[in-house]
Amino acid sequence: MPERVSTRNVEPLSAAQKAPSQSLRSRRTTASPNIAIPAEGPASPLRTRICLIFGDAQKSTAAHRKLAVNLRKIQEECCYEQTSRHGQDHDDSGEDDFNVEIARCVIRLMVVKKSEGAGDRIVRFLGMFLRRASDKDAALMPEVDVEDPQTFPETPSTRLTSHVLSILIPLLASKEKVVRYRATQLIAHIINSLDSVDDDSYHLVRVGLLKRVRDKEPMIRVQAVLGLGRLAGNEGEEDQDDADSDNDDASGLLAKLLEVLQNDPSAEVRRALLLNLPLAPKTLPFLLERARDVDSATRRALYSRLLPALGDFRHLSLSMREKLLRWGLRDRDENVRKATGKLFRERWIEDCVGSTGVAEDGTTQQAVPPSLDGLLELLERIDVVNSAGSNGIATEAMRDFWSGRPDYRDALGFNDPFWDHLTPESVFVARSFNDFCKGGEDGKSEALAEEKMPEVTKLAFYLQRYVNDLVSCIRHNSALGEGEPEEDTVENEFIVEQLLHVTEALDYSDEIGRRKMFALLRETLTIAELPEEITKLVVNVLRRICGSGAAGEREFCSVVLEAVAEVHDHVVTDDLPAENEEQSFHSARSELSDSTPTKARSETRASRDGDDSELDEEKAIKEIMINMKCLHIAQCMLENVEGDLQQNIHLVTMLNNLVVPAVRSHEAPIRERGLLCLGLCCLLDKALAEENLSLFLHCFSKGHDALQVSALYILSDILTVHSHLVTADNVDPGLQKSVYKIFGKGLKASTTAEVQSAATIALCKLMLTSVIRDEDLLKQLVTLFFDPAAKENAAVTQALSYFLPVFCHSRRENMEMMAAIAANVVHHQVTLVDEMDEEDGAIAVNVIGNMLVDWTDARKLVVPGSGLIGWDEAWGKDAKAVNGDIHLTLAESLLERALAHGCSKEERKVLVSMVGKVHMTSNSSGEKLQAVSELVAEAIDGKVATDTATKNALIKCQSALGKVLGEARTTQSKMEDQGADPTVRENETRLEAESEVEEKEVQVEERAAGSGGRDSLLEELLDDEDDEEEEEDDV
């Protein structure tokens, strides 16, 4: 970017210098914002030469450099004394004449519309000429120090620039948008082309462009921010002191541009500011937040242009790096995701590798060989330990990295020293590489993983080593006293987790490796100190090793339950008295029932004095942790089981001996985890689900917020898997009512945001799958969607904004249900708006009515494979043939509500406007058409409409109904004249068409058969000739 726009003083102009400007203003006839093209006046050789140059410049940009040189020669002839004049055609024109002729061309540019490319070419040419002329003038004045801030050389180019700007600045306030646009565009281009302007012009331009930032035309605001962005980078700190002033001219320029960047409704304006504001610590947070801009092109510009030009990404904070990656890679626009991936795998990796040439536009000048150290540093810079989890972005970033950098795939290797000294970054490189190769569709990636990754047996030894390190570190920390420093186990846990992810994707066709890994994981699962996440991964890998099918599932359950028993025995036996050491642990149920914390505390209080209370408390806490560990292992196992519960004896044993006692426990943590396990068991058995459904309903009614959320998710899963519990013909009405009541209670605003969002998401899923069909619940969902108080709960708003249109447009029955509740929804919203203040942000009832009409439009009914019209619609996919009974039902209910007593004036207005927007066709039911027509006539006679708009809507609806009824009667009379019922006639038409097709098929078959007969006759004749020849030979 050029240096600071000058605010340095200029020598005052002499009277001779001001005269041409004054004569120009008189020739323009006016200096007001309304431009007037000046009279041509007498022609001159100078004007002819300049006009020829501008005429060529507006045709193409290819010759702009040459034309600028020619125009500079003319300027030198007019401004500098010549030792001799060649030729007779030269006149005595001076600098003022030259400036006047240039100004004439500039004025004629002001009326050129934006769509004309010639105007943009002239603007570019003027900018190039002024830039070239300024450089030439500076070269002719070597004795003046142009870098001195106290001096500003006055040259013919600076005077020309000031003269042009003095003409353009008043035009910024023109009433014509084309004039304002061209004036703003040319000023912005001049500012961006030159290094400096004089002090007076600088302040006038700054004030004029600041006013154009508020222009109503987006194209003008774009040009204004292009010019102000150039000025903002050169604004001193002293100019920002008045940022809080009420005077727009005196306030801080940069602060105003940042406000425009955040709040301007035009995406082009925001994008122009994004790419032209100076990169400074003050502006950087505002620029980076454009990654969440609503316009996809603006978001793409941030990732493809701004961030590559920003420099080393390591100057950004860790949280900002992670946010930029997450926002970009998970963007809904594919181009934004591609730009983010390219930024990560090309620019950020090169910043870490170093020793690369980077051009000013952000592109790399030379390729850098792949470097493992650079890749490890890149992962460290995005905090891979915290960003590689289930919701982290590191996994997605590395997947894109491997897909776009084949050189790294081929160059990196994972030898023995690599596995001997694993770090969180290096193990994640191996894990992400293995996942990419295993997930590839081509066999080449699979072969690459087989080549570079170790075999199962070797990986099992590495896994065992790092698991032992983790366990020893955990036990060391638990044995430390108070005040002693603990070892950090986060990195060790992360390494083991990534190794387990690699293990889960391996091929276990090698029986030796499979047995080694199976034994290792079986032993690892019995370690009580193992973190829960690692425990879950171990169970998942065990499920894959055991194989699919019923036999593999039974083996898997057996192994996991044995590990549960060993975990319980291993920890409990450490605290048992000597006389009980010979006793063994028979089942999880016996320990849970005989050694519950409450009973243990009662026994210890009876047998020990008060001095042992601390020991009893520690033992109780330890037993709770033991039972929680066992239940967590059982939960992980149940999440990997799909078979019937009653067919698996291991699951039945686990249910009776572990889950049921946990549900009955007096300790809240154990009881809640037991409920989760019981819910998973109910998914595997219908009878068990039916027996315990009331239990989960009770948990929601009496439990705290977290338990209510768990109960809602459990109920949703159970009803999805066993839908007959609420949809069967012989379902208990009381149970069904209780289920509906639970979801209705969860939707109310009195509940917490977490419970409300959980209830909304669960109910939406159940209604989309037609498990729950209840008009009251649907009405509650619709009113919740329009409730201003629900805007604070983003999860609810997002779920309903997707659910409601999909629910209505997916099935005809759903659309009919929405039409049935539409009138009640409108009544509720009108009442709500009357009770609320304007500041509460209530949605306009007219908008709600339009959405209800759209949701019940049968033309938008979608069925897979049938376009926009459902299978149950009339013939073809023509919009006129759509059955409009749903909209007629809607109109009937709306008119009945409008004619009812107690309906307010505002409500009637909305209802009638909705009736005027329904879609009616002659293909609809005649009875419904007649009923709606009678209701419309009654509404007109009863003077329901009190204002002109409502009356016009009713009259329009009556006219449309009359037309549709006339078409229906005409069609019916034609069919009656033909002696057939309309339905019978349609069937006859179809049968006739089918018979014609059959006749054609028969004719084709007969032709084929006829040709076949001729062929067979020819064969018989040939056979007879052969027989005759054989008889002659015999004779």
Side-chain angles (χ1 to χ4, degrees), residues 852-894:
L852 291 172
V853 173
D854 179 76
W855 291 342
T856 54
D857 191 350
R859 291 173 294 181
K860 296 186 177 182
L861 192 63
V862 177
V863 174
S866 63
L868 297 178
I869 305 302
W871 293 109
D872 56 346
E873 300 296 347
W875 296 98
K877 298 181 181 179
D878 188 4
K880 295 181 179 180
V882 175
N883 190 330
D885 288 349
I886 299 177
H887 260 182
L888 291 177
T889 303
L890 174 66
E892 189 174 358
S893 63
L894 295 177

Side-chain angles (χ1 to χ4, degrees), residues 946-968:
T946 57
D947 57 311
T948 305
T950 308
K951 292 178 182 178
N952 293 338
L954 285 175
I955 295 174
K956 180 181 178 182
C957 183
Q958 187 180 35
S959 175
L961 281 169
K963 182 179 179 181
V964 170
L965 285 172
E967 292 178 356

Side-chain angles (χ1 to χ4, degrees), residues 824-1021:
N824 293 330
V825 171
V826 172
H827 173 69
H828 178 272
Q829 292 302 126
V830 171
T831 306
L832 183 65
V833 170
D834 293 340
E835 296 175 354
M836 296 178 62
D837 298 331
E838 296 181 359
E839 293 79 8
D840 294 335
I843 303 176
V845 186
N846 289 330
V847 177
I848 297 174
N850 295 337
M851 297 179 72
L852 291 172
V853 173
D854 179 76
W855 291 342
T856 54
D857 191 350
R859 291 173 294 181
K860 296 186 177 182
L861 192 63
V862 177
V863 174
S866 63
L868 297 178
I869 305 302
W871 293 109
D872 56 346
E873 300 296 347
W875 296 98
K877 298 181 181 179
D878 188 4
K880 295 181 179 180
V882 175
N883 190 330
D885 288 349
I886 299 177
H887 260 182
L888 291 177
T889 303
L890 174 66
E892 189 174 358
S893 63
L894 295 177
L895 289 171
E896 289 176 355
R897 174 62 192 169
L899 293 170
H901 295 288
C903 184
S904 63
K905 178 181 178 181
E906 294 297 328
E907 184 178 354
R908 282 197 181 98
K909 185 176 180 181
V910 175
L911 294 174
V912 173
S913 65
M914 292 174 62
V915 172
K917 297 173 183 177
V918 299
H919 177 72
M920 294 172 288
T921 64
S922 58
N923 195 46
S924 304
S925 172
E927 297 179 358
K928 288 185 176 294
L929 286 172
Q930 188 64 34
V932 174
S933 178
E934 294 174 357
L935 288 172
V936 171
E938 183 179 355
I940 294 176
D941 297 338
K943 297 183 179 180
V944 171
T946 57
D947 57 311
T948 305
T950 308
K951 292 178 182 178
N952 293 338
L954 285 175
I955 295 174
K956 180 181 178 182
C957 183
Q958 187 180 35
S959 175
L961 281 169
K963 182 179 179 181
V964 170
L965 285 172
E967 292 178 356
R969 293 192 187 98
T970 302
T971 304
Q972 185 176 3
S973 61
K974 288 182 178 180
M975 293 182 176
E976 289 177 354
D977 293 340
Q978 296 175 0
D981 185 74
T983 306
V984 176
R985 182 59 183 172
E986 290 176 359
N987 295 333
E988 290 179 354
T989 304
R990 293 173 57 191
L991 293 175
E992 290 177 359
E994 292 176 357
S995 61
E996 290 180 359
V997 173
E998 291 178 357
E999 290 178 359
K1000 292 181 180 179
E1001 292 178 352
V1002 170
Q1003 292 176 1
V1004 171
E1005 292 177 357
E1006 289 178 352
R1007 292 173 183 173
S1011 61
R1014 288 192 295 271
D1015 293 340
S1016 60
L1017 179 61
L1018 179 61
E1019 292 175 357
E1020 291 179 1
L1021 292 175

Side-chain angles (χ1 to χ4, degrees), residues 182-290:
R182 288 300 180 186
T184 309
Q185 181 191 25
L186 186 53
I187 290 176
H189 194 75
I190 290 174
I191 291 175
N192 284 281
S193 300
L194 301 179
D195 292 335
S196 58
V197 295
D198 64 87
D199 185 64
D200 295 336
S201 299
Y202 172 83
H203 288 289
L204 291 175
V205 166
R206 183 178 183 273
V207 173
L209 292 182
L210 272 175
K211 293 180 179 179
R212 290 307 97 210
V213 169
R214 305 299 181 185
D215 198 282
K216 63 180 180 180
E217 297 294 336
M219 62 179 182
I220 300 175
R221 300 201 301 272
V222 169
Q223 300 300 324
V225 298
L226 288 176
L228 290 174
R230 174 68 173 83
L231 299 181
N234 303 287
E235 192 175 56
E237 294 182 358
E238 66 277 3
D239 297 329
Q240 299 291 337
D241 296 337
D242 300 328
D244 297 330
S245 174
D246 294 334
N247 188 358
D248 290 345
D249 299 340
S251 60
L253 175 59
L254 191 58
K256 285 188 167 297
L257 292 181
L258 293 177
E259 181 186 359
V260 173
L261 177 65
Q262 289 182 306
N263 303 314
D264 196 283
S266 174
E268 294 183 1
V269 177
R270 299 194 302 271
R271 186 160 58 251
L273 271 177
L274 175 70
L275 300 176
N276 288 276
L277 277 177
L279 298 176
K282 182 178 180 180
T283 61
L284 191 58
F286 296 92
L287 296 175
L288 296 182
E289 74 178 8
R290 289 303 94 199

